[in-house]
Amino acid sequence: MACKALCAETAHKRTILILNKLSSYSWEAKAVLALAAFALNYKYFSVPAQLHSSRQVEIPKHVPATLKHLDLPKCKETISELNTMINDVLDFSESVFELKKLSTNNYIEDKPCSYILGRISFCVYGIIISVVACTTQMCCLTSDEDKTQDLYLLAEEISDWHSELEGCILDEQFRIVEKKAERKLKELLHTPDEIVEVFKGLIFAKDDKQSLFDGSTKEMVSVDVLEKKNVLLFISGLNISSDDISTLISIYIGIRKKKDTFKIVWIPIVEQWTYQLRMKFEMLRSDMPWYIMQYFSLVAGIKFIKEDWHFDNEPIIVVMNSQGDVKNKDALGLIREWGMNAFPFTPPKPVPRAGFVNPRRPHQVMSSLLL
């Protein structure tokens, strides 16, 4: 794996040769095989205990030492830098394997994206070219020539690549958490039991304070106020017309006469809050007598709301019964047209076509024949 003289061009060519030789293996296997081959060479080099890397690799005992002629005091700094780089490459390798593991997690049903696969292949290239550089440095130290290579630039690149890789790992970890929450939410909605639990799963992140603002009393209340209630989830950005607010106020007044079986909750969806948007939120909230989710709470199920309920920043009203069943994914059109006459806000049943005869009613069949 060593080059006669280490430069960017020769190191690249040698790395490509190694990759071609290992072409039948997966990318992570390429890295493991290159590191295993390097470990054998490194064992030859690292006999003195004080020069060992912090990571020990089990190598057969028959491997001989070849450092007898080396002037250790003179080469101590170079060897220390080499050992530091080797440890950095091993850390880098562990991150590559972690990213591969995360990208194929069972919670992520889709295949790893091309960007992740590209990152992994690029990082394996970085591991192998580092192995080539470190092997060449070892050969320089153990040869009769009093000449070593400068690994500083490559070490800096490995550090930068590792930082980028850590960012990819954080993204994948977040994606797994998001997928778990999404799966849990879908399970809640497909096998609902109680509106409060479904609402919590949809709206609140794990550590959020689970409370709502009561627009009628201007106080914070527990989400338990929704227990055993039918709920109208008013989901929107801050682009709410005064007509919609007036219509919902009439609905709010109307449902209070229905033995308090319905509640309205406004869920504002804003990707990034600014001071101006918070002021607009406060202004809108002041006109609303129903329950309101505070702007500083992140909506846990925002992806679900967009994909399954087709929310695209235009207001929608999702109707849920007291068991958390979705009865209407968007009742706003009904409410705008019919107001309280649309109660209980479920989609109208299809009207039978003209001339349709119900076969379960024999008298209808006879009448149609007579006609």
Side-chain angles (χ1 to χ4, degrees):
M1 290 190 290
C3 302
K4 290 183 179 180
L6 185 66
C7 67
E9 183 179 356
T10 56
H12 171 72
K13 287 181 178 179
R14 185 57 54 89
T15 301
I16 296 301
L17 285 173
I18 294 170
L19 288 171
N20 289 337
K21 194 175 184 66
L22 301 175
S23 60
S24 61
Y25 296 91
S26 66
W27 282 103
E28 59 270 24
K30 288 180 174 71
V32 170
L33 289 169
L35 288 168
F38 174 73
L40 286 167
N41 289 326
Y42 188 49
K43 186 66 176 181
Y44 276 100
F45 174 79
S46 60
V47 171
Q50 71 271 21
L51 301 179
H52 270 191
S53 167
S54 61
R55 290 175 175 82
Q56 299 303 309
V57 182
E58 291 297 327
I59 301 296
K61 294 181 179 179
H62 66 270
V63 176
T66 59
L67 293 181
K68 294 179 181 179
H69 71 282
L70 194 62
D71 187 349
L72 294 180
K74 182 180 178 181
C75 300
K76 184 176 180 180
E77 184 176 345
T78 302
I79 294 171
S80 177
E81 290 174 353
L82 179 60
N83 280 339
T84 297
M85 182 168 181
I86 290 168
N87 277 315
D88 290 345
V89 171
L90 290 173
D91 285 333
F92 184 47
S93 303
E94 288 175 358
S95 293
V96 172
F97 303 145
E98 176 66 14
L99 179 60
K100 177 63 177 179
K101 179 181 175 182
L102 290 171
S103 66
T104 54
N105 187 280
N106 290 335
Y107 275 97
I108 302 178
E109 297 173 357
D110 52 324
K111 294 181 179 179
C113 66
S114 57
Y115 175 76
I116 294 297
L117 294 175
R119 279 284 89 191
I120 290 173
S121 59
F122 179 77
C123 290
V124 170
Y125 169 88
I127 291 169
I128 295 178
I129 200 170
S130 299
V131 164
V132 168
C134 290
T135 305
T136 302
Q137 185 76 305
M138 285 158 40
C139 290
C140 290
L141 283 167
T142 56
S143 66
D144 293 333
E145 299 179 11
D146 188 16
K147 183 180 179 181
T148 57
Q149 309 294 327
D150 186 0
L151 301 180
Y152 176 76
L153 291 178
L154 181 58
E156 285 289 300
E157 286 188 341
I158 291 296
S159 177
D160 292 342
W161 296 343
H162 196 179
S163 296
E164 292 178 11
L165 193 62
E166 289 297 312
C168 291
I169 288 172
L170 288 175
D171 289 342
E172 286 300 288
Q173 288 173 337
F174 177 80
R175 194 156 75 105
I176 290 171
V177 170
E178 192 178 54
K179 286 285 184 179
K180 286 181 178 180
E182 185 180 341
R183 182 176 297 184
K184 181 180 178 182
L185 179 58
K186 286 184 176 181
E187 289 173 356
L188 274 172
L189 290 169
H190 290 156
T191 57
D193 180 52
E194 217 288 318
I195 181 63
V196 172
E197 294 307 311
V198 174
F199 184 81
K200 286 179 180 178
L202 177 68
I203 302 302
F204 294 109
K206 187 175 181 180
D207 298 326
D208 282 347
K209 184 179 180 181
Q210 298 178 349
S211 57
L212 298 170
F213 179 81
D214 187 339
S216 62
T217 64
K218 310 303 180 186
E219 295 178 352
M220 300 303 296
V221 295
S222 167
V223 295
D224 291 338
V225 295
L226 303 179
E227 188 174 359
K228 298 181 181 179
K229 306 297 182 184
N230 299 295
V231 177
L232 303 180
L233 299 178
F234 178 37
I235 303 170
S236 74
L238 301 183
N239 54 329
I240 309 171
S241 69
S242 56
D243 287 344
D244 279 343
I245 291 179
S246 296
T247 300
L248 274 179
I249 288 175
S250 68
I251 297 298
Y252 172 80
I253 294 170
I255 62 179
R256 292 190 69 181
K257 299 175 182 178
K258 299 287 184 180
K259 298 182 180 179
D260 208 28
T261 59
F262 274 77
K263 299 291 183 183
I264 301 175
V265 181
W266 180 36
I267 303 170
I269 304 289
V270 176
E271 296 288 348
Q272 188 172 1
W273 287 96
T274 62
Y275 175 78
Q276 289 76 14
L277 291 177
R278 291 182 184 184
M279 292 300 100
K280 186 174 183 179
F281 167 82
E282 297 289 347
M283 181 184 68
L284 289 169
R285 188 182 72 168
S286 65
D287 294 330
M288 298 179 179
W290 44 78
Y291 297 121
I292 300 155
M293 195 190 84
Q294 290 293 77
Y295 63 78
F296 48 77
S297 297
L298 296 175
V299 178
I302 186 169
K303 185 177 180 182
F304 178 88
I305 290 171
K306 289 182 175 181
E307 292 181 358
D308 286 58
W309 293 348
H310 310 297
F311 173 74
D312 60 356
N313 295 321
E314 291 299 320
I316 63 173
I317 292 180
V318 178
V319 182
M320 283 186 173
N321 66 13
S322 58
Q323 287 77 45
D325 291 304
V326 176
K327 308 307 291 184
N328 193 344
K329 289 186 177 181
D330 189 6
L332 185 56
L334 280 175
I335 290 172
R336 282 171 173 167
E337 185 172 358
W338 299 102
M340 196 59 197
N341 290 330
F343 184 86
F345 317 113
T346 53
K349 295 179 180 178
V351 178
R353 297 189 304 273
F356 174 79
V357 177
N358 189 334
R360 294 184 179 180
R361 297 183 179 179
H363 67 281
Q364 281 192 357
V365 176
M366 186 62 69
S367 299
S368 64
L369 289 174
L370 290 173
L371 291 172

